[in-house]
């Protein structure tokens, strides 16, 4: 079992930055790929990016490539989503999710454990 808790969301002006954290408990976290997903009101959930279990393979959605960075510290059971150059279109609830597998996937259905989410709002 893996429990996930996100933090770091908030209100920020366009062009600003936020750093989201995904804190995990559970002894298998270091073997799990982690994905970041977001969902804005009235829209489908979409993947933002994902990182494999040892952190050497990372995927970014095209919309955030070059602006967002994902990293992880397995010693601290934490995955970070650093978001820079934020745009109003980035406003959403962000959730981290973990797989029972070392490799990341774009398919949200392959993620077994989910956090409750943290809200990000970007104003003009």
């Amino acid at each position: 079992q893996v429990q996930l808790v996100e933090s770091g969301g908030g209100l920020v002006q366009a062009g600003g930055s936020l750093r989201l954290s995904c804190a995990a408990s559970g002894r298998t976290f270091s073997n799990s790929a982690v994905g970041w997903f977001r969902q804005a009101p009235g829209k489908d959930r979409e993947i933002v990016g994902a990182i494999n279990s040892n952190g050497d393979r990372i995927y970014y959605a095209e919309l955030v490539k070059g602006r967002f960075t994902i990293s992880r510290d397995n010693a601290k059971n934490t995955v970070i989503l650093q978001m820079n150059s934020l745009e109003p279109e980035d406003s959403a609830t962000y959730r981290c999710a973990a797989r029972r597998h070392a490799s990341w996937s774009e398919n949200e259905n392959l993620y077994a454990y989910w956090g409750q989410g943290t809200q990000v709002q970007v104003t003009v």
Side-chain angles (χ1 to χ4, degrees), residues 27-33 52-54 72 74 99-103:
R27 60 186 180 87
T28 61
F29 178 73
S30 62
N31 299 324
S32 299
N52 71 338
S53 60
N54 64 12
R72 68 187 295 161
N74 285 339
R99 292 195 66 194
R100 296 190 190 101
H101 196 279
S103 299

Side-chain angles (χ1 to χ4, degrees), residues 15-68:
S17 298
L18 282 174
R19 181 180 173 92
L20 304 186
S21 294
C22 175
S25 61
R27 60 186 180 87
T28 61
F29 178 73
S30 62
N31 299 324
S32 299
V34 173
W36 282 99
F37 296 81
R38 70 185 184 186
Q39 187 168 20
K43 295 187 177 181
D44 292 335
R45 184 161 58 199
E46 61 181 356
I47 189 168
V48 173
I51 187 167
N52 71 338
S53 60
N54 64 12
D56 64 349
R57 293 187 179 182
I58 305 173
Y59 163 80
Y60 297 102
E62 200 61 37
L63 285 175
V64 305
K65 201 174 290 184
R67 300 189 297 124
F68 291 10

Side-chain angles (χ1 to χ4, degrees), residues 2-6 22-23 45 93-98 113-118:
V2 177
Q3 293 79 42
L4 305 172
V5 178
E6 304 92 339
C22 175
R45 184 161 58 199
T93 297
Y94 285 70
R95 299 176 72 183
C96 62
Y113 308 105
W114 290 81
Q116 291 300 307
T118 185

Side-chain angles (χ1 to χ4, degrees), residues 10-16 86-89 91 120-124:
L11 182 67
V12 64
Q13 286 189 326
L86 283 162
E87 303 167 353
E89 293 75 22
S91 297
V120 170
Q121 186 171 353
V122 184
T123 62
V124 296

